[in-house]
Amino acid sequence: MELLKTVKRRTFWSELVYYVLNIGLAAALLVIAQAFQTPFPALALVVLSKWRIIAVRPRFWWANIQANLVDLTVGIGVVGLMYLPTSVFYFRVALAILYAIWLVVIKPMSKRWQVAMQSLIAIFVGVTALMVVSYEWPVSVVVILMFLIGYSSARHFLHSYDEEQTVLLSAIWGLVFAELGWLSYYWTYSYGKSLFGGVSQVTIILLLFSLVASKAYQSYNKHKAIRFSDISAPVILTIGIILVMLVFLNSVVI
């Protein structure tokens, strides 16, 4: 009985430390964003927070890096949004709170629909931040980072299904992101500049494409064929939203 109590105490204290450290990380990013004009200290903190990636034998490093790419995408994206020229204190506080929720609530989730949600969040935060900060960057850098966002989000989703062709399918999805990233570098529209500095059109398109692709994969995984009844709703939604954006909303340019 005493052993069981000890285990419970250890579990409680380990969980408490987990919450404190993660909430502290989000708070620290807010403090750094207020104190420093350059984003590099905040970026360094996000990277250092993943120290456990290399706290194993080197042969496991690459696997750990890939497994943590989605979390790194969200963390680095939050830093990028905090350092927008239009970011005010209250906006940064909101970002810090959302990041804390990601760390302590959303990231530990493990059900398949929750993993899919995590991938979509990483796409939204990562692509949004990249599009608003990269207007003076070389196009090659944007294309490479878009590939990594697409690859990591697809790998994260497919990993929950134990897919044998995870690397190949993730790389294909990364190429889709890279192609659209290249196009959006030269032709980008955004909506609601008061929100995240403007949500780019390509962010919305990639979210919709990813939703359709995830439903198609789920249908194939279950039935060994893609049933139109399983993907009809997201396909119609995607076509409708893209048509509305292209025909009626192409008026705000980044």
Side-chain angles (χ1 to χ4, degrees):
M1 182 63 68
E2 186 63 31
L3 176 61
L4 291 177
K5 291 181 179 179
T6 302
V7 171
K8 287 182 179 180
R9 285 199 295 269
R10 288 179 178 175
T11 301
F12 168 78
W13 287 112
S14 63
E15 289 184 356
L16 179 61
V17 170
Y18 172 82
Y19 289 130
V20 169
L21 289 177
N22 282 282
I23 295 173
L25 173 60
L29 292 183
L30 174 62
V31 172
I32 291 173
Q34 289 296 113
F36 295 92
Q37 296 297 318
T38 174
F40 293 110
L43 291 173
L45 181 60
V46 171
V47 174
L48 288 173
S49 70
K50 309 303 293 182
W51 62 270
R52 285 176 295 179
I53 290 176
I54 60 173
V56 293
R57 294 179 180 178
R59 62 192 179 96
F60 297 113
W61 287 2
W62 177 236
N64 284 352
I65 290 172
Q66 293 186 86
N68 284 272
L69 279 176
V70 162
D71 188 29
L72 279 171
T73 297
V74 174
I76 293 173
V78 167
V79 172
L81 295 173
M82 281 186 173
Y83 275 88
L84 290 176
T86 56
S87 292
V88 296
F89 175 71
Y90 296 108
F91 177 71
R92 289 172 173 173
V93 170
L95 285 174
I97 293 173
L98 291 174
Y99 186 47
I101 293 173
W102 161 265
L103 290 172
V104 302
V105 178
I106 299 175
K107 191 179 76 168
M109 294 178 175
S110 58
K111 294 182 179 179
R112 284 178 174 174
W113 71 268
Q114 295 168 337
V115 171
M117 178 181 65
Q118 292 164 0
S119 294
L120 292 176
I121 291 173
I123 292 170
F124 177 79
V125 176
V127 177
T128 297
L130 180 59
M131 288 296 104
V132 296
V133 304
S134 63
Y135 53 89
E136 292 183 345
W137 295 6
V139 63
S140 58
V141 175
V142 175
V143 169
I144 291 171
L145 291 177
M146 286 290 285
F147 174 85
L148 289 175
I149 294 172
Y151 176 87
S152 61
S153 61
R155 183 190 180 281
H156 189 70
F157 171 78
L158 293 170
H159 188 68
S160 65
Y161 287 87
D162 297 322
E163 169 61 47
E164 295 181 356
Q165 301 297 328
T166 293
V167 174
L168 176 61
L169 295 176
S170 300
I172 292 173
W173 202 238
L175 288 174
V176 172
F177 273 59
E179 290 286 348
L180 287 177
W182 174 82
L183 179 62
S184 64
Y185 183 85
Y186 297 103
W187 186 52
T188 300
Y189 291 84
S190 67
Y191 311 110
K193 286 197 172 184
S194 61
L195 179 64
F196 303 114
V199 178
S200 65
Q201 192 176 83
V202 70
T203 300
I204 300 171
I205 291 173
L206 287 173
L207 282 172
L208 292 170
F209 282 2
S210 298
L211 177 62
V212 172
S214 66
K215 292 298 182 182
Y217 179 84
Q218 289 169 354
S219 179
Y220 184 83
N221 182 266
K222 183 177 181 180
H223 306 292
K224 303 306 177 184
I226 300 175
R227 294 185 178 182
F228 183 73
S229 59
D230 292 334
I231 65 171
S232 57
V235 166
I236 293 172
L237 177 67
T238 297
I239 294 173
I241 292 178
I242 291 177
L243 285 176
V244 169
M245 287 193 301
L246 294 178
V247 176
F248 300 106
L249 300 179
N250 279 0
S251 59
V252 183
V253 185
I254 291 180

